[in-house]
């Protein structure tokens, strides 16, 4: 026996191991088996072994022969494999570990076989797999686009709706392959949000454009939620994507209407209130701008003589004429009625005056035609330079004051507030 009389404590430890254990000598004969092994294999263990006689292990556990032979013929010190067996306890799955027992000089003296009953673990894993397959089956029928990602963040599942939307094979989209269907700016923005969500293991929501099977980019809302494993460990993300293109278009239309005049399509006073403070801030870095307030001279006569529908069409035409005389980046704004404003970004006094003269000349020489007659219109322009940091209301008041001075002088001219 490998254990001598001075090592009885090792025998005790060997016997109380809760899982089956077998000790072999160098000829692969059974030296000892523990009580748990007898319990699991009581009908399969020869009485010779029970009575202490050595028997080749292949006669007791023939399924060990190949693994044992492979270990003994190589340099490895141990091997581990799973083995499913039928025993009095029923069908059992063991994790089998065969380990060479070496002395202090690394000489092989005996072999230990430990059989860990992992039946319950394997069954739990199978249940998890079945549950996973079940919910994935459900996801296949969902009209929404469903995806799943592992703990490393890489996407490993897409349902039928996702594949139908993108028109690509699942193999092309696994990992981060799906993200190639996003514009670069959206892709970078997504990964900034997603990487934070992975680190913090928290839910996230983000909107981005995703290329559809027909090549058209569609806006989608992507919602990701972390999910947990059996031990409540972080297991990855499950998410869904919804096509929100129509909603985005509607939002953009509402945003446009909120900042634009419905008659002329030009930016409105709200746009002026948004941009003017930014131009005032730029004066701190030496960038000057100008604000024009403009009013049509005697426009009321047009409405009174020809009706508001003619007046409206003339305002639309006037907006087109003025815009053609402005620089790229200048903004023509309709304040209401026949009053307009212009924001000129990055101009000095002389250039602002030059633009004002050009506008007066262009409008005064333009023939406005109606069914009844054709005529000329004239502008009164007030100019306020934006050259210092001050309140936006002050700048607008200066431009308004200068405009009324131009009208008081007879119109068809500009006045610079000084």
């Amino acid at each position: 026996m490998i254990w001598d009389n001075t090592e009885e404590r090792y025998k005790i430890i060997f016997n109380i191991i809760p899982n089956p254990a077998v000790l072999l000598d160098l000829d692969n004969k059974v030296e000892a088996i523990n009580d748990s092994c007898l319990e699991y294999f009581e009908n399969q263990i020869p009485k010779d072994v029970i009575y202490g006689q050595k028997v080749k292990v292949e006669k007791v556990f023939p399924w060990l022969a190949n693994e044992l032979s492979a270990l003994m013929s190589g340099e490895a010190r141990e091997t581990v494999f799973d083995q499913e067996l039928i025993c009095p306890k029923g069908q059992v799955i063991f994790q089998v570990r065969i380990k060479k027992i070496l002395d202090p000089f690394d000489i092989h003296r005996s072999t230990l076989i430990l059989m860990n009953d992992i039946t319950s673990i394997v069954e739990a894993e199978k249940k998890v797999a079945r549950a996973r397959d079940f919910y994935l089956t459900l996801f296949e029928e969902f009209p929404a686009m469903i995806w799943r990602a592992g703990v490393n963040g890489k996407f490993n599942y897409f349902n039928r709706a996702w594949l139908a939307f993108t028109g690509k094979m699942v193999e092309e989209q696994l990992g981060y392959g799906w993200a190639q269907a996003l514009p670069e700016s959206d892709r970078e923005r997504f990964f900034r949000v997603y990487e934070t969500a992975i680190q913090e293991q928290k839910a996230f929501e983000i909107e981005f454009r995703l290329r559809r099977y027909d090549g058209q980019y569609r806006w989608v809302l992507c919602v990701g939620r972390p999910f947990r494993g059996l031990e409540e460990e972080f297991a990855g993300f499950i998410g869904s994507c919804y096509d929100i293109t129509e909603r985005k278009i509607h939002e953009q239309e509402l945003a446009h209407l909120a900042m634009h005049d419905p008659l002329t399509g030009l930016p409105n006073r709200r746009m002026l209130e948004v941009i003017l403070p930014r131009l005032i801030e730029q004066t701190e870095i030496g960038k000057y701008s100008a604000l024009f307030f403009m009013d049509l001279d005697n426009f009321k006569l047009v409405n009174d003589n020809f009706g508001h529908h003619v007046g409206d069409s003339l305002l639309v035409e006037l907006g087109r004429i003025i815009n053609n005389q402005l620089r790229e980046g200048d903004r023509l704004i309709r304040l209401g009625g026949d009053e307009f404003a212009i924001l000129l970004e990055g101009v000095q006094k002389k250039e602002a005056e030059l633009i004002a003269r050009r506008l007066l000349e262009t409008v005064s020489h333009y023939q406005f035609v109606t069914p009844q007659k054709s005529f000329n219109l004239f502008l009164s322009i007030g100019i306020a330079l934006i050259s210092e940091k001050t309140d936006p209301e002050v700048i607008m008041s200066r431009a308004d004051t200068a405009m009324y001075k131009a009208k008081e002088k007879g119109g068809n001219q500009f006045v610079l507030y000084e």
Side-chain angles (χ1 to χ4, degrees):
M1 296 287 289
I2 188 170
W3 312 117
D4 57 30
N5 292 332
T6 63
E7 297 173 328
E8 288 298 324
R9 66 181 181 276
Y10 294 110
K11 287 185 178 181
I12 295 173
I13 293 172
F14 178 78
N15 280 322
I16 64 174
I17 293 173
N19 293 307
V22 180
L23 193 65
L24 307 180
D25 62 15
L26 293 177
D27 294 324
N28 290 337
K29 292 183 177 180
V30 177
E31 284 263 27
I33 58 175
N34 69 349
D35 293 339
S36 179
C37 192
L38 290 172
E39 181 181 345
Y40 270 90
F41 303 103
E42 57 183 344
N43 296 330
Q44 298 174 229
I45 298 177
K47 293 182 179 179
D48 295 347
V49 175
I50 298 174
Y51 294 145
Q53 296 184 25
K54 292 186 177 185
V55 175
K56 279 283 188 181
V57 69
E58 291 87 343
K59 292 184 177 181
V60 184
F61 303 114
W63 47 270
L64 275 171
N66 291 336
E67 297 289 346
L68 189 60
S69 175
L71 178 65
M72 294 304 137
S73 61
E75 298 295 325
R77 294 189 176 186
E78 65 178 272
T79 186
V80 179
F81 60 96
D82 292 348
Q83 182 69 39
E84 189 170 334
L85 298 171
I86 300 295
C87 63
K89 288 192 174 188
Q91 189 165 323
V92 180
I93 301 172
F94 289 104
Q95 182 187 70
V96 182
R97 181 181 300 273
I98 307 176
K99 184 178 181 65
K100 295 176 182 177
I101 305 299
L102 309 179
D103 66 12
F105 301 100
D106 286 341
I107 298 174
H108 182 197
R109 296 299 185 184
S110 59
T111 304
L112 179 64
I113 301 171
L114 294 173
M115 291 177 264
N116 182 26
D117 186 346
I118 59 171
T119 307
S120 59
I121 297 174
V122 173
E123 286 301 318
E125 290 175 347
K126 288 180 179 179
K127 287 180 180 178
V128 170
R130 286 195 295 270
R132 183 177 63 246
D133 292 341
F134 177 70
Y135 77 68
L136 290 182
T137 301
L138 292 178
F139 287 162
E140 284 300 301
E141 305 304 321
F142 274 32
M145 297 182 285
I146 306 295
W147 56 267
R148 184 186 63 187
V151 293
N152 60 359
K154 292 185 177 181
F155 285 47
N156 54 34
Y157 168 79
F158 303 95
N159 75 339
R160 190 176 301 157
W162 178 290
L163 299 178
F165 182 92
T166 59
K168 293 184 178 297
M169 301 293 291
V170 65
E171 293 79 11
E172 299 177 71
Q173 304 188 71
L174 292 175
Y176 296 130
W178 68 274
Q180 297 305 310
L182 276 64
E184 185 176 356
S185 59
D186 290 28
R187 185 163 60 245
E188 292 174 355
R189 184 165 49 84
F190 169 80
F191 280 112
R192 283 197 298 271
V193 172
Y194 188 49
E195 287 168 4
T196 299
I198 294 172
Q199 292 171 5
E200 299 179 357
Q201 299 179 10
K202 290 184 178 179
F204 69 93
E205 292 185 10
I206 186 172
E207 296 176 1
F208 54 76
R209 289 163 293 174
L210 181 65
R211 189 168 56 243
R212 200 169 57 179
Y213 63 89
D214 57 1
Q216 181 183 2
Y217 281 102
R218 304 284 291 181
W219 279 100
V220 299
L221 170 63
C222 181
V223 180
R225 297 288 183 267
F227 67 94
R228 305 285 168 180
L230 290 177
E231 304 298 325
E232 289 302 311
E233 77 282 6
F234 173 65
F237 282 91
I238 291 179
S240 58
C241 287
Y242 305 91
D243 189 332
I244 59 168
T245 304
E246 280 68 31
R247 191 198 81 188
K248 292 289 288 187
I249 292 173
H250 185 58
E251 289 175 354
Q252 291 166 0
E253 289 173 347
L254 290 176
H256 181 84
L257 289 173
M259 303 289 277
H260 289 77
D261 172 51
L263 173 64
T264 62
L266 296 172
N268 60 16
R269 180 179 288 270
R270 188 173 299 177
M271 181 78 80
L272 172 64
E273 294 169 349
V274 170
I275 299 175
L276 182 56
R278 177 172 61 82
L279 298 185
I280 293 173
E281 289 291 332
Q282 291 179 352
T283 61
E284 294 190 322
I285 59 173
K287 186 176 182 179
Y288 299 155
S289 302
L291 172 64
F292 288 7
F293 267 21
M294 301 183 302
D295 185 83
L296 276 172
D297 299 331
N298 299 320
F299 184 69
K300 184 175 183 299
L301 296 176
V302 175
N303 285 331
D304 291 345
N305 292 326
F306 305 108
H308 286 280
H309 66 286
V310 172
D312 287 348
S313 64
L314 293 182
L315 290 174
V316 173
E317 192 170 358
L318 178 66
R320 179 183 60 79
I321 295 167
I322 294 175
N323 256 331
N324 288 339
Q325 300 303 315
L326 298 180
R327 306 168 307 164
E328 185 178 355
D330 293 339
R331 291 180 183 269
L332 174 62
I333 296 166
R334 187 187 180 203
L335 299 176
D338 60 337
E339 292 187 352
F340 293 81
I342 300 176
L343 281 171
L344 303 171
E345 185 173 353
V347 295
Q348 299 291 336
K349 174 183 173 182
K350 287 185 177 180
E351 188 176 5
E353 291 176 337
L354 181 63
I355 293 172
R357 288 192 186 94
R358 186 167 69 238
L359 290 176
L360 290 172
E361 183 179 356
T362 301
V363 173
S364 64
H365 286 82
Y366 187 83
Q367 286 286 313
F368 289 87
V369 180
T370 71
Q372 293 82 3
K373 62 176 297 186
S374 62
F375 51 84
N376 299 94
L377 292 175
F378 304 98
L379 292 175
S380 293
I381 303 175
I383 304 174
L385 296 178
I386 307 171
S387 57
E388 61 181 351
K389 191 168 183 182
T390 187
D391 192 273
E393 293 295 332
V394 172
I395 301 295
M396 287 190 285
S397 177
R398 290 173 180 173
D400 192 51
T401 299
M403 180 188 72
Y404 276 100
K405 284 185 179 179
K407 292 184 76 70
E408 289 171 359
K409 290 182 177 182
N412 193 26
Q413 60 187 290
F414 71 85
V415 170
L416 175 69
Y417 182 92
E418 292 181 309

